Amino acid sequence: MATRSAVFVGYSLRDDDVKDVIDVLRSDLNTAARHCYFVHPSDEFIAPIEGAEVLHTSAAWFIKLLDDALVSAGYLLPATMYGRLEIIDQKLRKGRTRSDTRLPPWKFPLAIYNHYFQDGMADALEHTRARRRSGSDRRHGDLFHRSMGYLEYAKIARRKRNYSDVAYAEGYHVGLFVLAADEVALRNVPVYYCPGVEATPSFEEVSRAIRGGQDTHKTAYNWAAKQDRPRDMYLAYTPFLPDL
């Protein structure tokens, strides 16, 4: 209240304790007091702070206008990103069902990396969905910078030949990146992965790579082939990355 302009939305300042504190503060500041605004739908509402301006509109409409202005100014990503998230999530679910049905890991060892990639992507989408109420993921650059962090982790894991971590980190990176970069067409969002060809939107491409076995990526194949993969059981990647 001493250093910023205040906007009271859906609040008529009827709490005597709060009002007393504000009155004393503004009295001390005198002409240095910052401007105040009240958002109220009634034309008859009178601001309880002298000199305050009343914005005669509903709280919901005011917040919408404020949100639109912040998006237009480049401070926030549009809320339509959550609709995009749901479309990508459905695309991922369909891709997972298709690959799990036709490329089971107990038959094709390289398929485990595709599964880990899809786990990472799904976790990125779910985490963003869970944070929707706070809106923190909409801050300009937030999703993009975090996606770059996962990409950097994947690079480090690749140098250490830890291809399971690479797959998960790449999936998480892609999940965040395609939300931040809405210019990426939905048809081009990659939901499949295999070492050697990396992330791809094409099931045919990932199918050829996974079926290629050692010819696709010898080191990644040899590690995957040594893992215990019980028939008819899909193992999920734990939703955290170890220190490298």
Side-chain angles (χ1 to χ4, degrees), residues 139-206:
R139 291 177 299 192
H140 179 71
D142 183 78
L143 285 175
F144 179 76
H145 288 303
R146 283 198 290 123
S147 76
M148 292 300 103
Y150 281 94
L151 183 61
E152 185 61 29
Y153 185 98
K155 291 179 181 177
I156 296 172
R158 184 175 282 107
R159 288 198 293 268
K160 295 178 177 290
R161 297 187 178 184
N162 187 342
Y163 295 107
S164 58
D165 283 0
V166 171
Y168 182 84
E170 287 274 9
Y172 214 107
H173 157 69
V174 168
L176 297 179
F177 183 82
V178 295
L179 288 177
D182 59 1
E183 63 270 20
V184 176
L186 290 171
R187 66 178 179 276
N188 294 330
V189 172
V191 295
Y192 304 107
Y193 177 90
C194 181
V197 299
E198 306 308 311
T200 175
S202 169
F203 177 77
E204 289 70 22
E205 182 178 13
V206 82

Side-chain angles (χ1 to χ4, degrees), residues 67 71 75-79 81-82 135-140 142:
D67 190 278
V71 170
Y75 292 107
L76 293 180
L77 294 175
M81 63 172 275
Y82 296 108
S136 57
D137 284 336
R138 292 182 59 202
R139 291 177 299 192
H140 179 71
D142 183 78

Side-chain angles (χ1 to χ4, degrees), residues 74-133:
Y75 292 107
L76 293 180
L77 294 175
T80 52
M81 63 172 275
Y82 296 108
R84 179 178 172 86
L85 184 154
E86 298 305 329
I87 295 173
I88 294 172
D89 183 60
Q90 288 302 311
K91 180 181 176 72
L92 175 62
R93 290 174 185 269
K94 290 179 181 178
R96 168 164 283 181
T97 298
R98 188 178 187 186
S99 55
D100 283 353
T101 300
R102 299 173 61 177
L103 299 168
W106 55 86
K107 186 176 180 180
F108 304 102
L110 284 178
I112 191 62
Y113 299 106
N114 178 63
H115 204 287
Y116 286 164
F117 172 87
Q118 292 172 337
D119 284 343
M121 191 171 178
D123 287 345
L125 297 178
E126 180 56 37
H127 187 72
T128 304
R129 182 187 289 115
R131 287 159 60 105
R132 179 172 183 170
R133 288 182 65 88

